[in-house]
Amino acid sequence: MMNLKKLILFGTIFSSVFTACGNDAVNVTPEQPNEPTSGDVKIYTTTASLSRDFKKSFIDFSKTSNMSPKTIKLDETTKFQTMDGFGSAITGSAAYNLLKMTSQDRAKFLKETFSPTEGMGQSYIRIAIGCSDFSLSEYTLNDEPGIANFALQEEEIKYVIPVLKEILAINPSLKIMGSPWTAPLWMKVNNLASLGAHNSWTGGHLNPKYYQDYGTYFVKWIQALQKEGINIYSITPQNEPLNDKNSASMVMHWQEQLAFVKTALGPKLKAAGLTTKIYAFDHNYNYDDMADQEDYPVKIYEDAVAAAFFAGAAYHNYGGDKAELLDIHQKAPNKDLIFTETSIGTWNDGNNLGKRLIEDMREVALGTVNNWAKGVIVWNLMLDSDRGPNREGGCQTCYGAVDISKNDYKTIRKNSHYYIIGHLSSVVKPGAVRIGTSGYVANGLQYAAFKNTDGSYAFVLLNESGETSRITLDDGKNHFSYEVPAASVVSYTWKK
């Protein structure tokens, strides 16, 4: 056992290292002396080295003719998807950590994260219906048999709902998605042939006998949160329906999801007068290599009655490639796509910002948006410096979008997921339309352009290369140039 002197020394070293990894919160309004504090174009810049840490700056439109060969022209006559928003998950663990902060520190962090006028403006979050693998315990909202026994539990009442109320006070237009990790155990069976009891948090299937009760379960949950002043914008019928090993989990193949939504969930929502959107699937690009589950949402859409209840499909990136989004869009162009979960952790060098900022911006942020995703949501907003609270059977190697030190619940390390969401949400507002571009392209340069509902433009750019690149942006009326740093992400917004 480590003696007390060594333990104190270790704690001091860890605290110093953790503090050195990041600031105590993202600063969205840093200005250097003699730099302009206003201008035609507002810009946020983050370099992989953090020499620029979400640095806000301003420049004016050029007064001279544009002769630059590195001009990217915006084309608002070419329109793609309308954006719903960007954000992260408020799990039980994230809510717990947030509530361990002082009220002043938490208010500051939430404002900097969610305020559309004074912060990053995160606009879409995901929460669990019952427990997730980042909850303080395993539970559902109806553990005692009988749908009449439905009730919100301690995790919602004590942790998640209070945090949601604080966030909504900052951003009342916030969209919220709900996803269950499992149905109540009494509704589960081991398989659909023998229908044997499955008294386990892990795996099992939903018993068709309880489709109606489970549809009511969703309705009761939405209504319970409505009574708290919290509106649910969207739901998925099952988180990771092909994963029978998560804590907690439940299998729901496409045939089952089709039947459940067609006969129970869809009609129950409609009968209750609820307009909450339903998104199919909510799992990996590669369908966990299950051949009979490929094109999961498209197979559901082939049933016209079932398809009418679905707004679209949701995807994770723990297997396969983002190109699957484009494939599904081409097969079902009238249905939405949304990206709902990705994680960083010890397995992918998750706290190495120099590596992860570039890769996550390319694969998750711009990669999904440029393949028709209407929104991007990453996993835990906040975990602690021990990657928790976590549970056996869940992820014990994950980092949060930010990590907070358990020594003081004040010192925050900002990870890649915080930056990639912030670079989108700070300039691309809900209701924005992704628009076309033409002109300059280069290896290592990726970008997306948008027009917001207020008429302003947004442009988000990744420079993967090791060299700076001076580009010019042209909206057809105005143009401006900017020196994009090597290995950086830059977001721009301006009015025509």
Side-chain angles (χ1 to χ4, degrees):
M1 187 174 182
M2 192 180 293
N3 65 43
L4 183 59
K5 186 175 180 180
K6 287 182 178 178
L7 187 62
I8 292 171
L9 178 61
F10 176 79
T12 303
I13 292 170
F14 176 81
S15 180
S16 299
V17 170
F18 195 86
T19 303
C21 288
N23 305 318
D24 91 337
V26 66
N27 187 350
V28 298
T29 56
E31 308 296 347
Q32 299 298 321
N34 303 320
E35 285 195 354
T37 57
S38 64
D40 296 323
V41 185
K42 181 164 59 177
I43 304 171
Y44 296 98
T45 305
T46 300
T47 56
S49 66
L50 277 189
S51 60
R52 301 192 200 184
D53 184 353
F54 208 74
K55 176 180 170 55
K56 184 166 76 170
S57 60
F58 297 88
I59 59 172
D60 287 327
F61 297 138
S62 175
K63 305 298 184 187
T64 61
S65 299
N66 178 23
M67 304 295 288
S68 170
K70 293 186 176 182
T71 297
I72 301 169
K73 295 184 177 181
L74 276 60
D75 173 16
E76 59 184 281
T77 65
T78 301
K79 295 179 172 64
F80 300 99
Q81 75 272 33
T82 299
M83 308 309 298
D84 274 342
F86 311 96
S88 41
I90 303 295
T91 59
S93 295
Y96 174 87
N97 288 325
L98 285 162
L99 290 171
K100 293 287 282 186
M101 301 173 76
T102 66
S103 59
Q104 295 87 351
D105 286 345
R106 183 173 63 255
K108 180 175 183 285
F109 173 75
L110 293 179
K111 182 178 180 181
E112 291 169 338
T113 303
F114 292 99
S115 171
T117 55
E118 301 175 70
M120 283 181 162
Q122 287 197 22
S123 51
Y124 204 164
I125 64 173
R126 185 168 175 244
I127 63 176
I129 304 174
C131 75
S132 74
D133 52 329
F134 271 96
S135 289
L136 306 178
S137 65
E138 290 175 313
Y139 71 97
T140 72
L141 308 176
N142 209 146
D143 287 337
E144 186 178 340
I147 194 63
N149 294 311
F150 175 96
L152 296 176
Q153 300 300 302
E154 181 183 53
E155 187 161 302
E156 284 77 30
I157 295 167
K158 187 176 178 181
Y159 298 105
V160 177
I161 288 174
V163 168
L164 293 181
K165 287 182 176 180
E166 290 188 23
I167 296 171
L168 286 166
I170 295 166
N171 187 351
S173 62
L174 182 82
K175 293 182 176 71
I176 301 173
M177 168 179 276
S179 304
W181 266 240
T182 180
L185 271 55
W186 55 274
M187 294 187 187
K188 293 169 75 171
V189 291
N190 59 354
N191 61 66
L192 298 180
S194 65
L195 300 177
H198 188 81
N199 190 35
S200 171
W201 294 106
T202 304
H205 295 252
L206 179 62
N207 190 340
K209 173 182 176 181
Y210 293 115
Y211 278 4
Q212 298 305 313
D213 280 350
Y214 198 41
T216 299
Y217 179 95
F218 280 82
V219 170
K220 284 179 173 286
W221 177 74
I222 294 168
Q223 292 174 334
L225 289 185
Q226 280 182 335
K227 289 178 182 177
E228 298 288 338
I230 299 166
N231 292 318
I232 301 301
Y233 179 76
S234 59
I235 55 174
T236 63
Q238 175 61 42
N239 171 71
E240 298 189 350
L242 306 181
N243 181 357
D244 64 353
K245 297 178 177 59
N246 203 2
S247 172
S249 55
M250 186 174 76
V251 176
M252 186 179 276
H253 292 154
W254 71 263
Q255 299 93 330
E256 298 169 79
Q257 191 160 116
L258 187 161
F260 169 57
V261 173
K262 177 180 179 178
T263 65
L265 180 57
K268 289 280 186 181
L269 292 179
K270 186 176 180 179
L274 298 172
T275 58
T276 306
K277 294 186 176 186
I278 303 173
Y279 284 93
F281 191 47
D282 205 10
H283 205 173
N284 293 334
Y285 295 139
N286 69 343
Y287 310 97
D288 281 13
D289 295 320
M290 298 180 185
D292 63 330
Q293 296 302 309
E294 286 184 9
D295 288 346
Y296 186 116
V298 177
K299 289 175 178 175
I300 292 176
Y301 302 155
E302 289 171 357
D303 184 303
V305 176
F309 290 117
F310 286 92
Y315 279 84
H316 302 179
N317 72 340
Y318 304 118
D321 186 84
K322 62 187 180 296
E324 180 64 14
L325 295 172
L326 179 58
D327 179 65
I328 295 300
H329 170 75
Q330 290 171 339
K331 290 172 179 173
N334 62 326
K335 294 294 186 183
D336 296 344
L337 289 166
I338 185 167
F339 183 84
T340 48
E341 189 181 317
T342 182
S343 294
I344 49 174
T346 57
W347 71 91
N348 63 2
D349 217 2
N351 60 6
N352 180 350
L353 185 67
K355 173 184 177 183
R356 292 255 52 92
L357 176 68
I358 302 303
E359 187 173 322
D360 293 339
M361 199 70 205
R362 179 182 69 239
E363 297 298 322
V364 176
L366 291 173
T368 61
V369 165
N370 282 333
N371 282 289
W372 290 89
K374 289 170 63 75
V376 183
I377 305 173
V378 298
W379 197 209
N380 292 285
L381 173 61
M382 177 183 284
L383 292 180
D384 66 29
S385 47
D386 287 338
R387 302 187 292 274
N390 56 48
R391 293 195 322 274
E392 253 185 80
C395 181
Q396 297 181 310
T397 56
C398 290
Y399 299 116
V402 305
D403 294 323
I404 191 163
S405 171
K406 287 183 73 174
N407 291 336
D408 57 12
Y409 284 99
K410 182 182 183 74
T411 307
I412 288 175
R413 179 180 64 209
K414 298 169 286 180
N415 295 320
S416 60
H417 283 178
Y418 194 65
Y419 289 104
I420 68 169
I421 292 299
H423 271 281
L424 288 167
S425 62
S426 59
V427 296
V428 184
K429 301 305 178 181
V433 175
R434 182 167 69 94
I435 60 175
T437 58
S438 63
Y440 182 62
V441 294
N443 289 334
L445 208 63
Q446 294 195 36
Y447 47 78
F450 308 83
K451 188 169 186 181
N452 288 308
T453 57
D454 66 356
S456 64
Y457 295 105
F459 191 87
V460 182
L461 178 147
L462 166 66
N463 179 14
E464 292 190 55
S465 76
E467 299 179 355
T468 60
S469 179
R470 186 171 183 81
I471 65 158
T472 299
L473 294 175
D474 187 329
D475 64 18
K477 177 182 178 184
N478 300 297
H479 68 276
F480 60 92
S481 298
Y482 185 76
E483 192 82 19
V484 180
S488 70
V489 182
V490 187
S491 299
Y492 312 79
T493 187
W494 71 94
K495 288 196 173 181
K496 195 164 184 176

